[in-house]
Amino acid sequence: MKTFFITLLLIIPVLMNAQVRQAITDEKDVPVYELPEVLVSLKGKKIKNVKSWEKIRRPEVLKMFQDEVYGRIPGDLKIARSRVVDEDENALGGIAKRKQVVLTFVKNDKELNVEILIYLPKGIQNFPLFLGYNFYGNHTIINDAAIRLTESWVRDNPAFGIVNNQITEQSRGVRSSRWPVEEIIKSGCGVATIYYGDVDPDRDNFGDGIHPLFYDKSQSEPADDEWGAIAAWAWGLSRALDYFETDKDIDATKVAVIGHSRLGKTALWAGATDRRFAAVISNDSGCGGAALSRRKFGETVARINTSFPHWFCNNFNKYNNHEEKLPVDQHMLLALIAPRPLYVASATEDLWADPRGEFLSAKFASPVYQLYGLEGLPATEMPEPDSPVKGIVSYHIRTGKHDITAYDWEQYIGFAKKMLN
Ligand code: GCU
């Protein structure tokens, strides 16, 4: 008997670990779950109109995401200085205007510089502008020798010539397949990007990036309900928008915030927290993004908190293997974007991000759009691959793997032009 209990004690942690590791990839293994009601307040009041959504329920939902998922921002910090460090009226062979702008933040004797790369169409005004982060530096989005190189920490990627966490000339344009800059410009839209590591390097270290500027003397990491990296990145997008409001070349009321994968999670949180973003686009954002957590399909809360302990606030760990205890689910994140245009996209081979969970989230956010007299997602069943469902809430599942491709962008450009022009 004694040996039995000892074996049990030894085996429990192993089993728990296995629980973290084993991913559901088959629909038949999805557990039965019940989603929290987006339109019932904490006091049990049924939310029936825009007024009570905006006054009662929306603030409740936003606060639950702040306290339990992404973390709240511990204070206010405005741009101390913005400097246009490059301006070219004839970029990309003359079709675009290029600008590079450095935003400087100062607090508690610390300073942080964040650099925005902007391409604008010429001869038109008040065009939609896509704003999104990139993974490996602004210079990777297109082969343009004038793009300045970031000095921030970058994840090593020898294939891109990135070693010792520093980028080199070799990585110019390596991510151009993800950024069809010329097509965007020719369509009459603008595009702006920031290297996300300028705001906060993507590693489990709260001693770099924007976080330390907010610490008091005794602090070395955020409190349990304070911002992880995703909230920090989302904060950075809002500061870019602050800058756009001061730039006469840009109509800051037409900014579509966009992101792929972890940066899709970021775009959604930015859109939820900052209602100045006119539209939000989530590409393969998955767990902690558009996908419903309670389905536990692909990446789970426990898994994401284990692999990326710095992305969410510490409180989010409470829900590892306990998704049913979450006061929210991700359809409520999408609902925070209402009534603004929202595009959610998945890919057929991207099971890790749970395409069906992303679709269902868009569907279950739709009742909030309906309060505003809008249809929300115009579909109740998941569409076939490569057959976008187009509405104020749009959705597609593209054939292929986890990526953001020319096909995805073609849909987003059409969407932005229709919704924002
Ligand atoms: C990992 C992670 C995902 C994330 C993705 C990405 O796969 O598990 O949550 O979306 O990286 O950002 O590429």
Side-chain angles (χ1 to χ4, degrees), residues 135 260-262 265 284-285 287 299 304 308 311 352 402:
F135 282 83
H260 167 63
S261 209
R262 68 197 67 182
K265 308 181 209 297
D284 304 359
S285 62
C287 180
E299 187 170 32
I304 205 166
F308 305 99
W311 281 3
W352 189 238
H402 184 70

Side-chain angles (χ1 to χ4, degrees), residues 2-16:
K2 202 172 153 199
T3 27
F4 171 75
F5 278 116
I6 293 174
T7 326
L8 204 64
L9 275 180
L10 289 174
I11 222 168
I12 283 172
V14 177
L15 286 176
M16 285 180 67

Side-chain angles (χ1 to χ4, degrees), residues 109-129:
D109 299 326
K110 299 187 188 92
E111 193 175 294
L112 186 79
N113 289 320
V114 172
E115 200 149 330
I116 321 176
L117 167 66
I118 310 168
Y119 288 100
L120 305 172
K122 297 204 313 196
I124 50 172
Q125 274 171 349
N126 307 107
F127 43 81
L129 176 78

